[in-house]
C-alpha cells in the first residue's frame, strides 16, 4: 500500500482485490494509529474519496508519525461515539478575540475509550485532541482558536457551523437623484 503526503494530511489506497478477497464491507474500513503513551490503537476519521484502476483511495489526517493499522469487517461497525450540541462562542467575535468551539461526545460503548476529536475550519483540520470517555459517559470537548477578520466554516464530525470575525459588511445607501 502506498502513501502520498498532501496539504490536508495523507492519501492512502487499498487494493480492491484485497477488500474483495477478505469479504470486507466497504464502509467498515477504518484507519487506526498506535498511541504509544496510552499503548492503545486510536481510530481516526478517514474519507473514502474515489475508486480508480482497482484501487480505493482514502484521505486522512494523522496527528503525528506513528504505526498505522487498517481494519475492516464484513459488516458496518456500530457507532460507538455520538457527537452532538455544536456550540460556537462568541458567534461574532471581534478581531483578536478567542473563539471557543465545543461539542458533547457520548461513549455508547461498554468500556472506556479514547475519542479522536478533530476541529475542521474551512475544510482543513485546525486542531485535534484525544479525549478519554468512560462507558456510558458524556464529555465536553472544547477547542479554542483565534482568527483574523473573515468568515469561517466549522465542522466537528458531521456537525456544521460558522462564525464571522469582525463586523459583517453592511449595505451602503446610495442617493437617488430626482
Amino acid at each position: 500500500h502506498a502513501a502520498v503526503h498532501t496539504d490536508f494530511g495523507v492519501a492512502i489506497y487499498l487494493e480492491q482485490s484485497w477488500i474483495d478477497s477478505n469479504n470486507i464491507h466497504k464502509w467498515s474500513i477504518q484507519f487506526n494509529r498506535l498511541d504509544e503513551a496510552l499503548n492503545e490503537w486510536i481510530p481516526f476519521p478517514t474519507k473514502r474519496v474515489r475508486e480508480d484502476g482497482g484501487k480505493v483511495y482514502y484521505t486522512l489526517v494523522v496527528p503525528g508519525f506513528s504505526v498505522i493499522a487498517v481494519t475492516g469487517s464484513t459488516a458496518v461497525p456500530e457507532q460507538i461515539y455520538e457527537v452532538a450540541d455544536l456550540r460556537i462562542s462568541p458567534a461574532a467575535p471581534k478581531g483578536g478575540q478567542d473563539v471557543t468551539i465545543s461539542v458533547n461526545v457520548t461513549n455508547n460503548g461498554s468500556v472506556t475509550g479514547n475519542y479522536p476529536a478533530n476541529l475542521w475550519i474551512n475544510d482543513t483540520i485546525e486542531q485535534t485532541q484525544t479525549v478519554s470517555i468512560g462507558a456510558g459517559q458524556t464529555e465536553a470537548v472544547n477547542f479554542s482558536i483565534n482568527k483574523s477578520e473573515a468568515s469561517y466554516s466549522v465542522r466537528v464530525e458531521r456537525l456544521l457551523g460558522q462564525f464571522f470575525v469582525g463586523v459583517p459588511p453592511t449595505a451602503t445607501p446610495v442617493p437617488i437623484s430626482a
Side-chain angles (χ1 to χ4, degrees), residues 101-121:
I101 297 162
S102 307
V103 293
N104 289 333
V105 180
T106 301
N107 177 350
N108 293 318
S110 57
V111 295
T112 296
N114 291 301
Y115 173 74
N118 292 305
L119 169 65
W120 293 77
I121 300 292

Side-chain angles (χ1 to χ4, degrees), residues 11-139:
I12 293 179
Y13 71 81
L14 300 176
E15 297 287 344
Q16 184 68 51
S17 60
W18 176 81
I19 295 169
D20 293 342
S21 66
N22 289 289
N23 198 28
I24 295 173
H25 191 288
K26 68 180 182 179
W27 300 118
S28 76
I29 294 174
Q30 185 168 301
F31 294 83
N32 307 276
R33 70 177 176 82
L34 180 61
D35 185 317
E36 293 179 4
L38 297 170
N39 195 30
E40 195 173 314
W41 290 101
I42 307 291
F44 51 92
T46 61
K47 183 177 181 182
R48 183 182 176 112
V49 290
R50 74 180 195 279
E51 296 178 31
D52 180 1
K55 296 179 174 106
V56 182
Y57 291 85
Y58 298 84
T59 58
L60 49 124
V61 176
V62 183
F65 290 105
S66 66
V67 175
I68 295 176
V70 180
T71 59
S73 65
T74 57
V76 177
E78 179 184 341
Q79 188 72 28
I80 295 173
Y81 297 101
E82 178 184 336
V83 181
D85 305 322
L86 176 68
R87 299 172 305 282
I88 302 170
S89 179
K94 296 182 170 105
Q97 185 176 11
D98 284 349
V99 177
T100 300
I101 297 162
S102 307
V103 293
N104 289 333
V105 180
T106 301
N107 177 350
N108 293 318
S110 57
V111 295
T112 296
N114 291 301
Y115 173 74
N118 292 305
L119 169 65
W120 293 77
I121 300 292
N122 295 346
D123 299 324
T124 301
I125 289 188
E126 181 84 11
Q127 291 181 19
T128 65
Q129 57 180 287
T130 300
V131 182
S132 180
I133 304 172
Q137 300 295 309
T138 299
E139 295 287 336

